[in-house]
Amino acid sequence: MDAAQQEATARARELQRNWYGEPLGALFRKLIDDLGLNQARLAAVLGLSAPMLSQLMSGQRAKIGNPAVVQRVQLLQELASQVADGSVSAAEATERMEEIKKSQGGSVLSNTTHTTGSSGAPTVKRVVREIQSLLRSVAAAGDIIDAADALAPSHPELAEFLRVYGAGRTADAVAHYQSHQS
């Protein structure tokens, strides 16, 4: 790899860090390890070709172009944390991965049957993920943080909202959402 390619790869990984919180190679390797997958299986669950997954992992490509794939990545991250904390068994994880593979993404409004809990209302986590996905489809995490910093002096609540949902972890956003419900 020549210097220009190395520079392009480093830039792609930095963009990934801003957009996804970490380079996709590290993120995907964690999913592979935590969920007991190989690259081909991860690609299939995400709805990517194996070469595309490889290009994203190596930094040859920076961005996941399909929002539904980004949403599947988020769902797999949550599943991996549930497997890690013991709340989901390996067998349940395999079933959930099949559901994730079939999911089309989409919004709470247009996909209500897929996004509702047993009560018929969207789950808090689903609503939060939709807000996160929407914000992250508009701007990179670094840009959202810059906007929050600019808003903070005059509109601290909006700045907090942008930071929590635009660049924070889902668990923190769920806590924020629940603390602001009456």
Side-chain angles (χ1 to χ4, degrees):
M1 188 182 305
D2 66 23
Q5 287 173 316
Q6 286 178 336
E7 190 175 315
T9 298
R11 181 166 160 20
R13 287 189 176 131
E14 186 56 35
L15 288 170
Q16 289 175 348
R17 187 175 283 106
N18 288 337
W19 292 331
Y20 309 110
E22 64 186 308
L24 290 174
L27 190 155
F28 289 153
R29 275 188 285 284
K30 276 192 234 172
L31 290 175
I32 287 167
D33 291 344
D34 294 349
L35 295 171
L37 304 173
N38 60 33
Q39 282 189 21
R41 176 79 174 123
L42 177 61
V45 171
L46 292 175
L48 293 171
S49 68
M52 175 65 78
L53 179 73
S54 178
Q55 290 172 0
L56 289 165
M57 288 181 75
S58 67
Q60 292 173 342
R61 279 186 177 261
K63 190 169 188 175
I64 300 170
N66 184 338
V69 173
V70 175
Q71 189 173 27
R72 287 186 206 111
V73 170
Q74 292 170 338
L75 292 170
L76 283 177
Q77 286 178 295
E78 288 172 26
L79 180 60
S81 72
Q82 291 168 337
V83 169
D85 72 18
S87 63
V88 172
S89 71
E92 289 171 320
T94 301
E95 282 180 36
R96 293 255 190 96
M97 282 187 273
E98 280 306 308
E99 292 169 18
I100 290 169
K101 180 179 178 180
K102 293 173 187 168
S103 72
Q104 297 300 308
S107 74
V108 171
L109 298 177
S110 67
N111 200 6
T112 52
T113 58
H114 208 69
T115 60
T116 55
S118 57
S119 68
T123 63
V124 169
K125 197 173 232 179
R126 176 66 67 179
V127 171
V128 165
R129 279 198 312 257
E130 292 294 338
I131 294 167
Q132 288 176 317
S133 181
L134 178 62
L135 277 170
R136 293 168 185 178
S137 72
V138 172
D143 293 335
I144 292 170
I145 291 169
D146 290 345
D149 291 345
L151 280 172
S154 56
H155 301 287
E157 295 86 4
L158 278 173
E160 177 188 19
F161 175 87
L162 287 175
R163 279 190 196 97
V164 171
Y165 292 87
R169 297 189 165 280
T170 300
D172 296 333
V174 166
H176 182 271
Y177 182 95
Q178 290 172 328
S179 72
H180 287 80
Q181 297 301 302
S182 42

